[in-house]
Amino acid sequence: MTAARTKPKPRARFRREAPEDRRRQLGEAALRCIVKHGNAGVSVRQIAAEAGVTQGLITHHFGEINELVAYAFDIMSDGLMESIMKAVHDAPPTPQARLDAFIDASFSPLLFDRDVLGVWVVFWGLILHSPRMSASQQREYSTYVVTVESLISSLAEAENFKVGDIRLTAMAFTALMDGLWLAWCLNPSAFRPEDGVQLCRNWIEGLRRGAYA
Amino acid sequence: MTAARTKPKPRARFRREAPEDRRRQLGEAALRCIVKHGNAGVSVRQIAAEAGVTQGLITHHFGEINELVAYAFDIMSDGLMESIMKAVHDAPPTPQARLDAFIDASFSPLLFDRDVLGVWVVFWGLILHSPRMSASQQREYSTYVVTVESLISSLAEAENFKVGDIRLTAMAFTALMDGLWLAWCLNPSAFRPEDGVQLCRNWIEGLRRGAYA
DNA sequence: AGAGATATTATAAAGTCGTATAATATCTCT
DNA sequence: AGAGATATTATACGACTTTATAATATCTCT
């Protein structure tokens, strides 16, 4: 035999990175894959390719792929929450201005985005079938609602109107915003983001007029 | 050769059915698979097994699997819409009673159901990536909003209050209900269905008080 | 500079996926 | 009752999936 029958493929060069860095890279690659292909993007091979590494690395860092996806969810929800909170923080310190900033940020192109919903829809699907994902979602939802509660009750105090059950009311407002987000992303020609902002303001106006007392 | 090397498997007996019947059977089998396994349930083999037929039948009746899924979406949305409209139709013919019936039906166990949301989440994921699915969704959403518009404007007329943009307002109410549905299904301990009904009534109360004029 | 730790690659195994093909059983119609 | 139409089965193929394994390159530390 003149030529080697087995050609030992030359091993690719690679950088060795800290586990936490690599985990984050993989998580972000996962998000990009989900944006591009939806549920079909949740695949060890695709994510590894997107991150520019081999598949074994995912097994090594996360064990099973579900763990990676749950981690990606945490990255994503932390990021969104952070950008909203930044907007609130940067607003003038009046209850009205802070609530407006919250609404505006929610309907800004950063959040009010088909790609973002695409990722969330995939997560919702997993949450319904995985306790691990469900736990992450409950944490996320809870902190979100608490924030809304606080914004609303500050406004109520400042303007001296009554709200019956603050927690339920905050969940209603959250639901309204999520519902508008969903409807617009599924069908962007239905209304404009500004219309969504206005509808939220109308809801607040109902609150002022005592509809939730 | 004494024994036959190839054992020709005896062909299974089967009933030959009208195409429209078979299509519906396959569509309903698809829905059951999606309920059971979420996105993972969308599979030619699984659906065929669920329907008790072989895979080729799906190709034969639908060409590609996406077509079957779109058909399943139509079955499902028609069914839900029909059950809501029945409730409205059975209510006393006053605007208030009809709107209440609409709300109550939306929060009844038939609709306010994790399994139902599970199916919709899968559909949403497909809608975002498939023009075919998107077309079906737009039809569905449009008829839904028109219904809400009609219920709201009847009430406004009867009680003599003003609504600025009926269409946008109807979309807000739709969004609120969808958002509550989503939140509750993802986390059923967050609130009770009755709370959801109350929050919708509060929204209507805001409408009455002119918050959307 | 050399050794130990481990992050990373390469590769294989077993299974599922969607679609295409040809054979055939079932039904309808005359 | 027999023939034609077609709904249905069985099977094959190639691409993709997840997970497991052993070999190895890279880095850190002394």
Side-chain angles (χ1 to χ4, degrees):
Chain A
M1 295 303 146
T2 58
R5 174 149 327 242
T6 61
K7 339 175 167 182
K9 190 180 199 173
R11 214 183 170 96
R13 294 179 53 201
F14 61 93
R15 282 194 50 192
R16 190 188 178 112
E17 308 215 2
E20 53 187 345
D21 293 342
R22 196 58 101 181
R23 284 169 62 90
R24 171 160 280 266
Q25 290 170 17
L26 289 169
E28 289 172 352
L31 293 176
R32 287 194 301 273
C33 285
I34 295 174
V35 164
K36 269 189 262 184
H37 306 110
N39 294 285
V42 180
S43 141
V44 174
R45 280 177 159 73
Q46 284 182 61
I47 296 170
E50 173 72 32
V53 300
T54 51
Q55 334 162 39
L57 206 52
I58 290 178
T59 303
H60 182 253
H61 285 290
F62 292 95
E64 62 174 352
I65 193 176
N66 299 326
E67 205 58 34
L68 165 55
V69 176
Y71 178 76
F73 174 81
D74 291 338
I75 291 179
M76 180 96 179
S77 60
D78 288 353
L80 295 185
M81 198 65 201
E82 195 175 345
S83 73
I84 291 189
M85 292 315 288
K86 178 175 175 350
V88 170
H89 203 75
D90 290 352
T94 74
Q96 169 79 49
R98 287 163 58 87
L99 183 53
D100 277 344
F102 184 85
I103 295 173
D104 289 340
S106 299
F107 288 84
S108 75
L110 191 69
L111 286 273
F112 217 64
D113 181 334
R114 279 175 74 90
D115 286 347
V116 176
L117 180 75
V119 176
W120 280 96
V121 163
V122 171
F123 288 146
W124 287 336
L126 300 173
I127 289 162
L128 286 167
H129 294 86
S130 147
R132 166 70 179 84
M133 289 290 292
S134 180
S136 276
Q137 191 270 342
Q138 291 200 19
R139 239 178 306 143
E140 195 267 341
Y141 181 69
S142 177
T143 71
Y144 189 90
V145 170
V146 165
T147 302
V148 174
E149 263 183 69
S150 145
L151 290 169
I152 288 179
S153 62
S154 294
L155 188 73
E157 197 170 349
E159 302 191 0
N160 208 38
F161 60 79
K162 284 269 185 300
V163 178
D165 186 322
I166 288 269
R167 182 153 190 81
L168 281 177
T169 305
M171 291 196 287
F173 188 64
T174 300
L176 173 64
M177 295 206 305
D178 284 348
L180 288 171
W181 178 44
L182 179 63
W184 183 84
C185 289
L186 292 180
N187 187 4
S189 64
F191 59 91
R192 299 163 304 166
E194 310 94 85
D195 296 328
V197 170
Q198 182 55 48
L199 290 169
C200 286
R201 295 231 176 89
N202 289 337
W203 187 93
I204 301 283
E205 186 58 29
L207 197 62
R208 280 199 181 89
R209 300 189 181 198
Y212 298 78
Chain B
M1 294 304 149
T2 56
R5 177 147 325 238
T6 60
K7 340 175 166 182
K9 191 180 198 173
R11 214 183 170 93
R13 293 180 54 202
F14 61 93
R15 282 194 50 193
R16 190 189 178 113
E17 308 215 0
E20 54 188 345
D21 293 343
R22 195 59 100 181
R23 284 169 63 89
R24 170 160 282 267
Q25 289 170 19
L26 289 170
E28 289 172 352
L31 293 176
R32 288 194 300 273
C33 284
I34 295 174
V35 164
K36 268 190 261 183
H37 306 109
N39 294 283
V42 180
S43 141
V44 172
R45 283 175 159 76
Q46 284 182 60
I47 296 170
E50 174 72 31
V53 300
T54 50
Q55 334 162 34
L57 208 52
I58 290 176
T59 303
H60 182 253
H61 285 289
F62 291 93
E64 62 174 353
I65 193 177
N66 299 327
E67 206 57 36
L68 165 55
V69 176
Y71 179 75
F73 174 81
D74 291 337
I75 291 179
M76 181 96 177
S77 60
D78 288 353
L80 295 185
M81 198 65 201
E82 194 175 346
S83 72
I84 291 189
M85 291 315 290
K86 178 175 175 350
V88 170
H89 203 75
D90 290 352
T94 75
Q96 170 78 50
R98 287 163 57 88
L99 183 52
D100 278 343
F102 184 86
I103 296 173
D104 288 341
S106 299
F107 287 84
S108 74
L110 192 68
L111 285 274
F112 219 63
D113 180 336
R114 280 175 73 90
D115 286 346
V116 177
L117 180 75
V119 175
W120 280 95
V121 163
V122 171
F123 287 145
W124 288 336
L126 299 173
I127 289 162
L128 286 168
H129 294 85
S130 147
R132 166 70 179 84
M133 289 290 292
S134 181
S136 275
Q137 191 270 343
Q138 291 199 20
R139 237 178 307 144
E140 194 267 342
Y141 181 68
S142 177
T143 70
Y144 189 90
V145 170
V146 165
T147 302
V148 173
E149 262 183 68
S150 144
L151 289 169
I152 288 179
S153 62
S154 294
L155 189 73
E157 197 171 348
E159 303 191 0
N160 208 38
F161 59 80
K162 283 268 186 299
V163 177
D165 187 322
I166 288 269
R167 182 152 190 82
L168 282 177
T169 305
M171 291 196 288
F173 188 64
T174 300
L176 173 64
M177 295 207 303
D178 284 348
L180 288 171
W181 178 43
L182 179 62
W184 183 84
C185 288
L186 292 180
N187 187 3
S189 64
F191 59 92
R192 300 163 303 166
E194 311 93 85
D195 296 327
V197 170
Q198 182 57 47
L199 290 169
C200 286
R201 295 231 176 90
N202 289 337
W203 186 92
I204 301 284
E205 186 59 29
L207 197 63
R208 280 199 181 89
R209 299 189 182 197
Y212 297 80

